[in-house]
Amino acid sequence: MPAHPLPAALPRLVLRSLAALVLAFGALSGQAAAQPAVLIGEIRVDVSPLREKGVGDYADLLRTSLERALEDRFAGRLGAGGSRLTVVLERFELRGWGSGESDDGPFGFGMPGGGSLAADELAGVATLSEGGRVLAREPLRVALPPGQSGPWHTPDFEQRRAVALAESFAGWLARRL
């Protein structure tokens, strides 16, 4: 059976059509990337749902940490007269360290690399609005293992876990908006 190169086997019309599709796709993706990002003039973090659930001082810590992290993540998009980014935090949980759930192995014998499967969580909804019109609405939930926040035996371990959740939330939100 004689071997023929693939391009010679395809009619010129098919090759031209494929080339046109590739160029069209490139033009469309270039237009999407060229659209300017929405300017953000104000960032608000509402922790009232957390207060109602009895989160206490963590509500203030989450609000200030998330505001700071959002300002850092959206620094290139901040400006007077822009839209408003409002984040309403609805759920916050710090799970128990060593909660009995583990990824230690099939029998839970404390193999190296093991740790708790219970993850800390922060969830809420971000709304980008301008002049009473909603431009985007993004529900978001982040989960992190407690051990990601450093040594558990230090007095500020739980606060560091809360700050890590706020920073992760801001990072994911910046990717999505």
Side-chain angles (χ1 to χ4, degrees):
M1 174 180 255
H4 295 287
L6 184 59
L10 294 174
R12 286 181 183 241
L13 179 61
V14 173
L15 288 174
R16 286 184 184 154
S17 297
L18 286 173
L21 282 173
V22 168
L23 290 174
F25 180 73
L28 287 175
S29 59
Q31 288 175 354
Q35 292 178 354
V38 175
L39 189 65
I40 298 172
E42 180 181 4
I43 295 174
R44 288 187 182 178
V45 177
D46 179 4
V47 293
S48 58
L50 297 181
R51 288 189 196 288
E52 292 171 9
K53 293 177 182 177
V55 170
D57 292 339
Y58 284 106
D60 293 329
L61 177 62
L62 287 166
R63 182 182 44 77
T64 57
S65 298
L66 185 55
E67 284 174 349
R68 187 176 308 119
L70 288 170
E71 288 172 0
D72 288 346
R73 297 292 182 155
F74 288 99
R77 294 175 54 185
L78 297 178
S83 59
R84 175 186 297 162
L85 175 61
T86 304
V87 178
V88 179
L89 294 179
E90 300 168 339
R91 184 172 168 200
F92 169 67
E93 290 186 40
L94 293 181
R95 301 292 171 94
W97 181 259
S99 64
E101 300 176 52
S102 73
D103 62 357
D104 290 344
F107 304 107
F109 290 131
M111 295 178 179
S116 176
L117 287 178
D120 297 336
E121 294 185 26
L122 182 62
V125 177
T127 306
L128 192 60
S129 60
E130 189 171 341
R133 184 176 54 120
V134 174
L135 304 175
R137 184 174 186 279
E138 189 67 43
L140 186 60
R141 177 186 152 270
V142 295
L144 297 173
Q148 185 170 326
S149 298
W152 61 268
H153 52 80
T154 58
D156 65 341
F157 180 57
E158 290 181 353
Q159 288 78 15
R160 283 185 283 123
R161 290 164 64 186
V163 170
L165 284 169
E167 290 172 351
S168 179
F169 192 98
W172 279 105
L173 189 58
R175 289 179 190 103
R176 292 182 174 202
L177 289 181

